[in-house]
Amino acid sequence: MDKKVLCVGLCCLDLVMYCESYPVEDSDQRCLSHSWQRGGNASNNCSVFAEFGIPIEILGTMSYDIGGEFMKKDFEKHGICFENCHFYEEYESPISSNWINVQNGSRTILFSNKNMPEVAFDDFKYLDLNNYSWIHFECRPYFEDMKKMIQYIRYWNSLKEHTPVIISVEVEKPILEMMEILSLGDFVFISKDFAAMCGHNDMISAANALCSALRPGAAIICPWGEKGACAKTADASVVVSEAYPPEKILTTLGAGDTFVAATIIAILKGEDLSKAINIGCKVAGAKCGMADTKGLAELFPFLL
């Protein structure tokens, strides 16, 4: 594969604390271990693409502070291109504090972004779209510039002078205004929280109802944790995959991001929607038994 996948979205520093149990308020509890990790949905997606040898680039905003330097070195270590990221001196890196309950693998996330701007259209418009086969957008709470980026890609695709770029979007946050995002992607990933906000308490009813908002020919994909995942296009019935949990769950941190990236990789490899979400569930399930994405490719060599 010569052309790259581009992921647009958040880069943050994750402080991961492995706790013997969920902390009691106003208590002093010693953790079992801790780590610094590179986080953010788009950043985590990139780690999965890199693990499976897919040429990958991140477009995010970062700082020159200690968090930004840590993330920069980690991108370099994983072979993830970040040359078009906007680095700021005047802003601080966003930080997530992630509490992992080792009894059940649950993760509780506390996120702080003091002042780091989102990716701007002015940063995006200078990219050479000939370099990319697929562009994935993590829908952030402030998404007006993201809509401009997608409109720019649609215009570029319409010129028919080059191979069209496939567009996918992830709608995770339960924000009603994000409904309009469903019509923008060729592949639209929606979270359980977003589906619940729309009034749906299971993935099949969510996919059936929300596929009416898609652009022609697009697909909606709905992962549902331990229930697996489903997907649907407007002119076909729902396809469903079961979940594949590991023997022991270490942490669910990053499992959703792993599902998104693994599903996209499967589609890029030529799999149909049903097989792709099944692969996504298998890879995400394996990730739940691991601290990070390192080693996933050894478990699923057919994706290399």
PDB file of all heavy atoms in Angstrom, residues 207-223:
ATOM      1  N   ALA A 207     -28.742   1.219  14.377  1.00  0.00           N
ATOM      2  CA  ALA A 207     -28.276   1.164  12.985  1.00  0.00           C
ATOM      3  C   ALA A 207     -29.441   1.298  12.012  1.00  0.00           C
ATOM      4  O   ALA A 207     -29.349   2.024  11.007  1.00  0.00           O
ATOM      5  CB  ALA A 207     -27.515  -0.127  12.740  1.00  0.00           C
ATOM      6  N   ASN A 208     -30.542   0.610  12.293  1.00  0.00           N
ATOM      7  CA  ASN A 208     -31.711   0.680  11.406  1.00  0.00           C
ATOM      8  C   ASN A 208     -32.277   2.087  11.319  1.00  0.00           C
ATOM      9  O   ASN A 208     -32.678   2.548  10.254  1.00  0.00           O
ATOM     10  CB  ASN A 208     -32.787  -0.295  11.881  1.00  0.00           C
ATOM     11  CG  ASN A 208     -32.558  -1.713  11.407  1.00  0.00           C
ATOM     12  OD1 ASN A 208     -32.118  -1.932  10.279  1.00  0.00           O
ATOM     13  ND2 ASN A 208     -32.843  -2.685  12.252  1.00  0.00           N
ATOM     14  N   ALA A 209     -32.322   2.766  12.466  1.00  0.00           N
ATOM     15  CA  ALA A 209     -32.924   4.100  12.490  1.00  0.00           C
ATOM     16  C   ALA A 209     -31.998   5.163  11.911  1.00  0.00           C
ATOM     17  O   ALA A 209     -32.424   6.011  11.119  1.00  0.00           O
ATOM     18  CB  ALA A 209     -33.312   4.462  13.928  1.00  0.00           C
ATOM     19  N   LEU A 210     -30.739   5.112  12.282  1.00  0.00           N
ATOM     20  CA  LEU A 210     -29.832   6.201  11.937  1.00  0.00           C
ATOM     21  C   LEU A 210     -29.255   6.079  10.534  1.00  0.00           C
ATOM     22  O   LEU A 210     -28.704   7.050  10.016  1.00  0.00           O
ATOM     23  CB  LEU A 210     -28.703   6.278  12.962  1.00  0.00           C
ATOM     24  CG  LEU A 210     -29.158   6.627  14.388  1.00  0.00           C
ATOM     25  CD1 LEU A 210     -27.980   6.583  15.363  1.00  0.00           C
ATOM     26  CD2 LEU A 210     -29.829   7.997  14.431  1.00  0.00           C
ATOM     27  N   CYS A 211     -29.393   4.918   9.893  1.00  0.00           N
ATOM     28  CA  CYS A 211     -28.860   4.795   8.528  1.00  0.00           C
ATOM     29  C   CYS A 211     -29.604   5.706   7.552  1.00  0.00           C
ATOM     30  O   CYS A 211     -29.082   6.032   6.483  1.00  0.00           O
ATOM     31  CB  CYS A 211     -28.889   3.349   8.052  1.00  0.00           C
ATOM     32  SG  CYS A 211     -30.526   2.722   7.681  1.00  0.00           S
ATOM     33  N   SER A 212     -30.794   6.156   7.927  1.00  0.00           N
ATOM     34  CA  SER A 212     -31.546   7.060   7.052  1.00  0.00           C
ATOM     35  C   SER A 212     -30.873   8.429   6.930  1.00  0.00           C
ATOM     36  O   SER A 212     -31.159   9.190   6.010  1.00  0.00           O
ATOM     37  CB  SER A 212     -32.971   7.244   7.585  1.00  0.00           C
ATOM     38  OG  SER A 212     -32.950   7.832   8.864  1.00  0.00           O
ATOM     39  N   ALA A 213     -29.963   8.723   7.862  1.00  0.00           N
ATOM     40  CA  ALA A 213     -29.263  10.010   7.825  1.00  0.00           C
ATOM     41  C   ALA A 213     -28.002   9.969   6.977  1.00  0.00           C
ATOM     42  O   ALA A 213     -27.356  10.997   6.771  1.00  0.00           O
ATOM     43  CB  ALA A 213     -28.904  10.445   9.245  1.00  0.00           C
ATOM     44  N   LEU A 214     -27.631   8.783   6.461  1.00  0.00           N
ATOM     45  CA  LEU A 214     -26.382   8.635   5.728  1.00  0.00           C
ATOM     46  C   LEU A 214     -26.469   9.191   4.316  1.00  0.00           C
ATOM     47  O   LEU A 214     -27.555   9.295   3.737  1.00  0.00           O
ATOM     48  CB  LEU A 214     -25.994   7.154   5.655  1.00  0.00           C
ATOM     49  CG  LEU A 214     -25.805   6.393   6.964  1.00  0.00           C
ATOM     50  CD1 LEU A 214     -25.484   4.934   6.661  1.00  0.00           C
ATOM     51  CD2 LEU A 214     -24.722   7.021   7.817  1.00  0.00           C
ATOM     52  N   ARG A 215     -25.319   9.485   3.742  1.00  0.00           N
ATOM     53  CA  ARG A 215     -25.261   9.839   2.341  1.00  0.00           C
ATOM     54  C   ARG A 215     -25.449   8.556   1.521  1.00  0.00           C
ATOM     55  O   ARG A 215     -25.215   7.444   2.023  1.00  0.00           O
ATOM     56  CB  ARG A 215     -23.927  10.517   2.002  1.00  0.00           C
ATOM     57  CG  ARG A 215     -22.716   9.676   2.230  1.00  0.00           C
ATOM     58  CD  ARG A 215     -21.408  10.438   1.977  1.00  0.00           C
ATOM     59  NE  ARG A 215     -21.129  10.545   0.550  1.00  0.00           N
ATOM     60  CZ  ARG A 215     -21.189  11.673  -0.137  1.00  0.00           C
ATOM     61  NH1 ARG A 215     -21.502  12.795   0.472  1.00  0.00           N
ATOM     62  NH2 ARG A 215     -20.925  11.699  -1.427  1.00  0.00           N
ATOM     63  N   PRO A 216     -25.877   8.642   0.259  1.00  0.00           N
ATOM     64  CA  PRO A 216     -26.097   7.435  -0.550  1.00  0.00           C
ATOM     65  C   PRO A 216     -24.849   6.567  -0.634  1.00  0.00           C
ATOM     66  O   PRO A 216     -23.741   7.063  -0.870  1.00  0.00           O
ATOM     67  CB  PRO A 216     -26.465   8.010  -1.927  1.00  0.00           C
ATOM     68  CG  PRO A 216     -27.050   9.359  -1.626  1.00  0.00           C
ATOM     69  CD  PRO A 216     -26.274   9.874  -0.456  1.00  0.00           C
ATOM     70  N   GLY A 217     -25.036   5.263  -0.410  1.00  0.00           N
ATOM     71  CA  GLY A 217     -23.938   4.319  -0.499  1.00  0.00           C
ATOM     72  C   GLY A 217     -23.078   4.193   0.743  1.00  0.00           C
ATOM     73  O   GLY A 217     -22.165   3.364   0.786  1.00  0.00           O
ATOM     74  N   ALA A 218     -23.351   5.000   1.766  1.00  0.00           N
ATOM     75  CA  ALA A 218     -22.535   4.974   2.974  1.00  0.00           C
ATOM     76  C   ALA A 218     -22.981   3.860   3.916  1.00  0.00           C
ATOM     77  O   ALA A 218     -24.061   3.279   3.756  1.00  0.00           O
ATOM     78  CB  ALA A 218     -22.599   6.321   3.685  1.00  0.00           C
ATOM     79  N   ALA A 219     -22.157   3.575   4.912  1.00  0.00           N
ATOM     80  CA  ALA A 219     -22.459   2.547   5.897  1.00  0.00           C
ATOM     81  C   ALA A 219     -22.329   3.121   7.294  1.00  0.00           C
ATOM     82  O   ALA A 219     -21.465   3.970   7.560  1.00  0.00           O
ATOM     83  CB  ALA A 219     -21.504   1.360   5.745  1.00  0.00           C
ATOM     84  N   ILE A 220     -23.199   2.652   8.191  1.00  0.00           N
ATOM     85  CA  ILE A 220     -23.107   3.018   9.603  1.00  0.00           C
ATOM     86  C   ILE A 220     -22.618   1.798  10.370  1.00  0.00           C
ATOM     87  O   ILE A 220     -23.022   0.664  10.093  1.00  0.00           O
ATOM     88  CB  ILE A 220     -24.464   3.521  10.141  1.00  0.00           C
ATOM     89  CG1 ILE A 220     -24.273   4.162  11.515  1.00  0.00           C
ATOM     90  CG2 ILE A 220     -25.513   2.414  10.192  1.00  0.00           C
ATOM     91  CD1 ILE A 220     -25.464   5.020  11.947  1.00  0.00           C
ATOM     92  N   ILE A 221     -21.704   2.016  11.306  1.00  0.00           N
ATOM     93  CA  ILE A 221     -21.081   0.937  12.072  1.00  0.00           C
ATOM     94  C   ILE A 221     -21.213   1.279  13.549  1.00  0.00           C
ATOM     95  O   ILE A 221     -20.838   2.380  13.966  1.00  0.00           O
ATOM     96  CB  ILE A 221     -19.603   0.760  11.688  1.00  0.00           C
ATOM     97  CG1 ILE A 221     -19.490   0.468  10.185  1.00  0.00           C
ATOM     98  CG2 ILE A 221     -18.954  -0.343  12.512  1.00  0.00           C
ATOM     99  CD1 ILE A 221     -18.073   0.498   9.647  1.00  0.00           C
ATOM    100  N   CYS A 222     -21.749   0.331  14.312  1.00  0.00           N
ATOM    101  CA  CYS A 222     -22.066   0.608  15.708  1.00  0.00           C
ATOM    102  C   CYS A 222     -21.475  -0.453  16.627  1.00  0.00           C
ATOM    103  O   CYS A 222     -22.055  -1.523  16.795  1.00  0.00           O
ATOM    104  CB  CYS A 222     -23.584   0.679  15.886  1.00  0.00           C
ATOM    105  SG  CYS A 222     -24.094   1.190  17.548  1.00  0.00           S
ATOM    106  N   PRO A 223     -20.310  -0.201  17.236  1.00  0.00           N
ATOM    107  CA  PRO A 223     -19.771  -1.126  18.232  1.00  0.00           C
ATOM    108  C   PRO A 223     -20.523  -0.983  19.555  1.00  0.00           C
ATOM    109  O   PRO A 223     -20.912   0.126  19.927  1.00  0.00           O
ATOM    110  CB  PRO A 223     -18.315  -0.689  18.362  1.00  0.00           C
ATOM    111  CG  PRO A 223     -18.308   0.756  17.974  1.00  0.00           C
ATOM    112  CD  PRO A 223     -19.411   0.934  16.968  1.00  0.00           C
TER     113      PRO A 223
END
